[in-house]
Amino acid sequence: SLYVTPYNTCGQGPQDSLQVNPDMLPVGAGPLAGLTHPCQGDTVTYSVAPTPGQYYIWNIPTGWQIISGDSTEAISVLIGTQSGSLYVTPYNTCGQGPQDSLQVNPDMYPVGAGPIAGPTHLCQGVVVEYSVNYISGVLYAWDFPTDWVVLSGNHTHNVSVLVGSESGLISVWAQNDCGQGVVSSLNVTILEIHIKLSSNYEPDHTITLGDYITITATPRYYGLYTFVVNGDTVRRSGSSIIELNSITEESMVTVIANDYGCIAIDSILVRVKPLPNAFTPFKKDGKNDIFGKGLDLIIVNRQGHVLYEGSNGWDGTHNGQNVIPGTYFYIIKFTRENNQKIFVRGSVLLID
C-alpha cells in the first residue's frame, strides 16, 4: 500500500492509503510454433504460449494473409508464395516485450509432370524408357499396365520398363509433402506381327539355274524387311519384295520383319533345277539348241581357250564355225544383291 499522512502546525491529520499492484513489462512470447515449410495456398496456424493481460502484434511475409486471430496468441494464415520471417511482439499496459520470429519457406504443390515421352506402339518383352519433365524437390509416381515391370528409375522422371503383354494407359504424377500434381497419361498398344513368304514359283519354289524368282513378304506395311539367303544378308530395307537370280543351289530364303522393334520370321526353300548336261545346237529344231541363254556365260574347251562369252546363250559355234561335238566347260557368273560374286562351273556335252 501507498500511505499519505497530512501534517500542519497543530499536528497530524488522518492517514490515507492506496493499494498498488505493479505490472511487469511483457515477457517474451516464447517459441513460435508452426510449420517452417508450409504449402502455398494452405491455411496454417501459428501460435505462442498465452500470457494473461498481453496481446500480440503479428507481422507476416508479403503476400500472406491473416484469416483470424489477429492480436491473439494464435493466428490462422493463408500461405502466400514469399519466403521470409514471421514475427510476433507481446504488448501490455506497460509497453512492448521482446519479439520472437520464425523463418518460413513455403513449398509449392507440384506442377504437372508434362507430356510422357516414349513409344506408343511396341512389342512384348522389349525394354524401353519413358520420361517426363524434371521438377526439383519432387518424387514421381508411375503407373503401368498390369504385367509391365519397372527395371530402374522408379520415383524419378525417367524410368526403364520391361514391356508386358497388355495394352493400356501409362500414368505419372509428381508429388511432395504438399500433395500431388496433375496426372499425365499416355496410351500404349502392344503389337503382334506376323509374316508370310511367297514366290512367283508356287507352290514348291523350284526354278532353273539363272531364273529370276520374285519373293514377297506379306503383309507389306512393316517398317523393315531383312532378306537372308543361306545365312547371308542380301538386303535390308523397307521393301517387302525382292527379286533374285543369284540362287545357284537349293537355298533357304528367310525374311526378318521388324516393326516398332517387333520381330517376325518366315522362310521358304528354293530348289534349283540344273542346266541341261547336253544340247543339240546343230539340229536347228528350236529344241535345246541354245545353251545358257540369259546367263553371264563363258564357254571354254579342254585346252582352256574361250569359245564364247556373253548372255545370249551359246549356239555351239566359234568365230562363225561349228565346233566339234564333245564336252565343253562353262563358267557362269552371278552377282548377288549385296554385290557378292558367285561363280558356277560345270560341263555340257555338245551332241551333233
Side-chain angles (χ1 to χ4, degrees):
S1 293
L2 187 72
Y3 297 94
V4 60
T5 304
Y7 288 86
N8 62 16
T9 56
C10 295
Q12 173 181 332
Q15 188 180 63
D16 198 12
S17 67
L18 179 67
Q19 182 67 33
V20 290
N21 298 288
D23 287 335
M24 296 175 58
L25 284 171
V27 297
L32 205 163
L35 298 176
T36 58
H37 289 273
C39 298
Q40 295 177 17
D42 282 0
T43 299
V44 177
T45 297
Y46 291 91
S47 64
V48 292
T51 299
Q54 292 187 173
Y55 64 97
Y56 302 87
I57 300 299
W58 294 84
N59 294 98
I60 58 177
T62 302
W64 293 33
Q65 181 183 349
I66 296 176
I67 302 299
S68 63
D70 198 11
S71 300
T72 71
E73 75 279 2
I75 57 171
S76 181
V77 179
L78 178 64
I79 306 300
T81 61
Q82 295 293 319
S83 297
S85 291
L86 194 81
Y87 297 96
V88 60
T89 306
Y91 286 85
N92 64 13
T93 55
C94 293
Q96 171 183 329
Q99 188 179 66
D100 195 21
S101 66
L102 181 68
Q103 181 68 32
V104 287
N105 299 287
D107 290 333
M108 293 177 58
Y109 277 87
V111 296
I116 299 174
T120 57
H121 294 76
L122 61 174
C123 310
Q124 180 181 0
V126 301
V127 175
V128 295
E129 290 188 353
Y130 291 94
S131 63
V132 290
N133 297 330
Y134 173 76
I135 304 171
S136 177
V138 303
L139 296 177
Y140 295 83
W142 290 89
D143 186 52
F144 291 94
T146 304
D147 60 348
W148 293 35
V149 179
V150 176
L151 300 177
S152 64
N154 202 13
H155 303 306
T156 73
H157 75 291
N158 188 80
V159 292
S160 176
V161 294
L162 176 65
V163 177
S165 62
E166 296 185 10
S167 301
L169 197 66
I170 297 174
S171 300
V172 62
W173 57 92
Q175 57 188 23
N176 62 12
D177 290 339
C178 292
Q180 77 174 50
V182 177
V183 176
S184 299
S185 298
L186 182 70
N187 277 302
V188 289
T189 302
I190 302 303
L191 300 175
E192 294 184 13
I193 73 170
H194 307 277
I195 200 71
K196 179 67 176 176
L197 282 182
S198 60
S199 81
N200 58 332
Y201 282 85
E202 297 285 349
D204 59 357
H205 318 295
T206 298
I207 63 173
T208 300
L209 182 68
D211 284 349
Y212 279 91
I213 182 171
T214 301
I215 298 174
T216 302
T218 306
R220 303 182 183 183
Y221 48 74
Y222 295 146
L224 183 66
Y225 298 86
T226 301
F227 286 93
V228 179
V229 177
N230 290 338
D232 293 328
T233 298
V234 295
R235 196 184 70 196
R236 179 180 289 111
S237 72
S239 175
S240 64
I241 300 174
I242 192 168
E243 191 174 52
L244 301 169
N245 77 327
S246 57
I247 296 180
T248 60
E249 59 186 357
E250 186 173 271
S251 299
M252 186 66 69
V253 179
T254 300
V255 65
I256 304 168
N258 187 318
D259 200 41
Y260 294 99
C262 302
I263 301 296
I265 300 174
D266 192 32
S267 299
I268 59 172
L269 183 64
V270 177
R271 295 178 173 86
V272 180
K273 292 187 294 186
L275 291 173
N277 58 8
F279 77 125
T280 55
F282 305 143
K283 287 185 177 182
K284 305 300 182 182
D285 59 0
K287 299 179 180 180
N288 199 25
D289 52 7
I290 299 292
F291 178 79
K293 186 175 182 179
L295 301 175
D296 190 349
L297 176 69
I298 297 174
I299 298 292
V300 298
N301 60 17
R302 291 183 180 275
Q303 290 73 40
H305 298 144
V306 175
L307 304 182
Y308 171 81
E309 184 172 2
S311 59
N312 292 324
W314 186 42
D315 61 0
T317 66
H318 177 61
N319 292 331
Q321 301 295 319
N322 291 348
V323 300
I324 299 172
T327 299
Y328 293 87
F329 303 93
Y330 62 80
I331 303 171
I332 304 172
K333 181 174 71 174
F334 297 93
T335 302
R336 281 187 170 175
E337 285 65 21
N338 59 2
N339 291 321
Q340 179 186 3
K341 306 298 182 183
I342 300 173
F343 297 92
V344 176
R345 293 172 171 84
S347 63
V348 62
L349 180 63
L350 188 155
I351 301 173
D352 191 358

